[in-house]
């Protein structure tokens, strides 16, 4: 039976995308300028973050390859037939669908869009060895050029439209945080509390962006020993009086991630717990002051390290002090060139959006045991930075009275 390797599908009108046509045209123009300078004929993006950044289409892979081919005069997403018309509706530019009637149809679709391309920009940090081998077989004589670092650098500086969306995301994260705070009580499980935060965020995203896709927002609410790692999953553990708590809300709006992270206690913390918490808050507050244009990422780390070192707590640090925001998630994307780490020497500039999120962990069995983490998001401007996170932090705000204490008062 003769079936096509690829085809176009028109099934419904174009959907409203996260950004304006001018925004996408600007992104494409910047990329094409780089392509012209480096003598690149076309680019094939394969990562979720770059396909979404260039086209507005955030794919769901489920083991299938996706892509976006950008030449000097066209932009086309490549999607699997299982999605039918949704990718075309959600793509800025054109869309080509490959079928799975036979092996290699994805690569045939890519080749059909490249014409006489001699130099092809690809993402070396995303293409695995098997994918590279198949691409080379499908595109004989084509030279592959790594485009990943250049595109990451472009994504690190946000447009005003991006900053508007990220600011809205931070507000949604705060709403999720307050819903979580209100749900905290003895005997309630981490899962139940996380569910309250996630529902509040999804409801708010639907209100603010009624034409968007609702997907991927999540909460990590951790208690007791489970606070020791920043990315520990939610469990069914029930809260007890005296618990250290970690509130983490992560709304996702059209692939754009924002976050709120706070340390809390259920009941009055011990003197050792309070001392560790106050130290981490001190680092957080100073870190917020350091985020401004002209400052080097590594210099921020070195200065904050000194505060921990003077308190004898530097070894309790577990990761860097913050990172860039934009198209990223826990399962895709990362602007690795804009992280507050000792080995990153990027200079902060207007339009960048970064977090300040110091964390220390004291092992179980020691005084003050648990993980302490605060997290705010800052937009860097011409003269300083603006903190777009509004949920309060520190002992003055985040010691939660157990139910019996609240009723007694």
């Amino acid at each position: 039976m003769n079936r096509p390797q690829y085809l176009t599908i028109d099934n419904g009108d174009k959907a409203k995308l996260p950004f304006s046509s001018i925004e996408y045209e600007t992104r494409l123009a910047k990329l094409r300028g780089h392509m012209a300078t480096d003598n690149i004929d076309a680019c094939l993006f394969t990562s979720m973050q770059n396909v979404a950044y260039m086209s507005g289409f955030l794919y769901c892979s489920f083991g299938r390859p996706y892509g976006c081919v950008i030449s000097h005069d066209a932009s086309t997403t490549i999607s699997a037939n299982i999605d039918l018309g949704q990718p075309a509706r959600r793509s800025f530019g054109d869309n080509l669908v490959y079928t799975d009637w036979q092996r290699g149809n994805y690569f045939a679709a890519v080749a059909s869009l490249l014409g006489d391309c001699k130099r092809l920009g690809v993402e070396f940090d995303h293409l695995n060895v098997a994918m590279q081998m198949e691409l080379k077989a499908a595109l004989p004589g084509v030279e592959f050029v790594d485009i990943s670092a250049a595109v990451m650098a472009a994504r690190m500086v946000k447009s005003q439209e991006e900053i508007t969306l990220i600011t809205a995301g931070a507000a949604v994260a705060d709403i999720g945080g307050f819903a979580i705070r209100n749900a905290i009580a003895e005997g309630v499980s981490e899962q139940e509390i996380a569910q309250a935060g996630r529902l509040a965020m999804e409801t708010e995203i639907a209100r603010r962006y009624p034409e968007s896709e609702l997907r991927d927002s999540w909460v990590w609410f951790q208690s007791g020993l489970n606070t020791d790692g920043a990315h520990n999953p939610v469990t069914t553990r029930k809260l007890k009086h005296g618990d250290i708590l970690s509130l983490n809300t992560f709304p996702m709006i059209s692939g754009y991630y924002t976050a709120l992270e706070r340390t809390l206690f259920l009941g009055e913390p011990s003197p050792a717990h309070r001392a560790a918490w106050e130290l981490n808050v001190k680092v957080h507050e100073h870190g917020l002051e350091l985020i401004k244009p002209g400052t080097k990422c590594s210099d921020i780390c070195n200065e904050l390290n000194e505060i921990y070192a003077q308190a004898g707590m530097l070894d309790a640090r577990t990761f860097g002090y913050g990172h860039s925001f934009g198209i990223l998630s826990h399962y895709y994307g990362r602007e690795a060139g804009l992280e507050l780490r000792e080995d990153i020497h990027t200079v902060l500039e207007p339009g960048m959006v970064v977090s300040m999120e110091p964390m220390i962990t004291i092992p179980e069995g020691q005084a003050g045991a648990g993980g302490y983490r605060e997290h705010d998001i800052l937009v860097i401007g011409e003269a300083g930075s603006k903190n777009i996170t509004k949920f309060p932090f520190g002992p003055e705000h985040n010691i939660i009275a157990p139910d019996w204490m609240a009723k007694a008062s």
Side-chain angles (χ1 to χ4, degrees):
M1 186 178 294
N2 230 353
R3 301 255 181 126
Q5 290 181 291
Y6 47 85
L7 67 158
T8 57
I9 295 177
D10 181 12
N11 191 42
D13 297 332
K14 285 280 191 181
K16 182 178 180 180
L17 296 180
F19 303 106
S20 68
S21 296
I22 293 174
E23 173 77 10
Y24 290 109
E25 290 286 8
T26 300
R27 296 177 185 184
L28 291 171
K30 289 180 180 178
L31 173 66
R32 286 167 177 150
H34 178 81
M35 290 164 60
T37 299
D38 278 20
N39 195 29
I40 296 172
D41 300 309
C43 291
L44 169 63
F45 293 105
T46 50
S47 69
M48 294 183 75
Q49 63 269 22
N50 279 330
V51 171
Y53 185 76
M54 292 298 176
S55 72
F57 169 51
L58 186 66
Y59 67 72
C60 177
S61 174
F62 246 117
R64 293 176 170 89
Y66 285 69
C68 182
V69 171
I70 299 173
S71 65
H72 286 277
D73 56 9
S75 173
T76 308
T77 53
I78 302 173
S79 59
N81 197 35
I82 192 170
D83 295 326
L84 209 82
Q86 187 260 4
R89 296 193 298 272
R90 291 279 172 185
S91 295
F92 180 80
D94 300 321
N95 171 256
L96 188 63
V97 174
Y98 73 93
T99 65
D100 58 4
W101 315 132
Q102 63 190 51
R103 294 286 179 183
N105 284 354
Y106 171 82
F107 302 99
V110 170
S112 74
L113 295 171
L114 293 179
D116 60 353
C117 173
K118 300 300 181 186
R119 281 170 56 86
L120 178 66
V122 295
E123 299 173 77
F124 280 174
D125 63 353
H126 184 262
L127 287 179
N128 59 36
V129 174
M131 187 76 159
Q132 287 193 45
M133 290 175 63
E134 292 197 72
L135 269 178
K136 288 179 179 178
L139 304 171
V142 174
E143 178 187 359
F144 289 1
V145 181
D146 187 22
I147 196 75
S148 55
V151 177
M152 178 189 68
R155 294 202 326 266
M156 280 164 31
V157 179
K158 314 303 175 191
S159 68
Q160 187 54 56
E161 288 192 30
E162 287 180 287
I163 290 171
T164 297
L165 187 147
I166 292 169
T167 301
V172 173
D174 286 341
I175 287 171
F178 285 114
I180 287 172
R181 196 182 190 284
N182 292 338
I184 292 172
E186 285 191 83
V188 182
S189 71
E190 292 178 4
Q191 181 272 329
E192 292 172 291
I193 295 169
Q195 186 172 312
R198 188 174 63 252
L199 176 60
M201 291 192 300
E202 289 181 345
T203 300
E204 181 64 13
I205 293 170
R207 186 188 72 81
R208 289 174 180 251
Y209 299 96
E211 296 179 285
S212 68
E213 297 175 319
L214 298 174
R215 54 188 287 189
D216 298 333
S217 294
W218 84 103
V219 167
W220 282 325
F221 181 79
Q222 302 139 346
S223 63
L225 177 61
N226 201 31
T227 63
D228 67 340
H231 297 164
N232 293 353
V234 171
T235 73
T236 57
R237 180 185 183 276
K238 293 184 178 181
L239 273 56
K240 302 175 184 176
H241 175 57
D243 274 345
I244 183 173
L245 309 173
S246 187
L247 176 161
N248 310 269
T249 62
F250 307 106
M252 295 289 293
I253 304 174
S254 300
Y256 275 70
Y257 161 101
T258 47
L260 166 71
E261 300 171 7
R262 289 289 184 261
T263 299
L264 306 93
F265 275 84
L266 183 54
E268 185 66 31
S270 71
H273 281 101
R274 180 181 277 271
W277 191 7
E278 289 177 345
L279 171 64
N280 207 54
V281 166
K282 178 181 178 181
V283 173
H284 183 61
E285 290 175 332
H286 190 55
L288 294 173
E289 296 171 352
L290 295 177
I291 295 179
K292 52 190 174 184
T295 306
K296 192 183 297 182
C297 292
S298 54
D299 288 345
I300 293 173
C301 297
N302 294 332
E303 188 163 337
L304 296 180
N305 281 345
E306 282 299 315
I307 302 176
Y308 282 134
Q310 289 171 14
M313 292 291 287
L314 185 58
D315 288 344
R317 261 195 66 209
T318 58
F319 60 90
Y321 287 103
H323 58 81
S324 181
F325 280 81
I327 296 240
L328 63 110
S329 171
H330 58 303
Y331 62 93
Y332 64 83
R334 192 76 171 181
E335 292 168 12
L338 185 51
E339 298 192 12
L340 303 184
R341 296 182 0 177
E342 290 85 347
D343 58 344
I344 301 295
H345 307 298
T346 303
V347 175
L348 301 182
E349 61 180 272
M352 290 179 171
V353 181
V354 297
S355 61
M356 172 49 56
E357 50 177 309
M359 180 175 182
I360 52 174
T361 297
I362 299 174
E364 193 73 2
Q366 296 185 17
Y372 302 79
R373 185 168 71 261
E374 312 296 341
H375 179 297
D376 287 35
I377 301 174
L378 296 98
V379 177
I380 299 168
E382 294 293 336
S385 61
K386 178 182 180 182
N387 191 335
I388 59 174
T389 298
K390 304 304 180 185
F391 193 101
F393 59 83
E396 298 80 10
H397 305 284
N398 291 326
I399 296 174
I400 312 299
D403 278 349
W404 66 269
M405 292 176 66
K407 290 175 183 176
S409 63

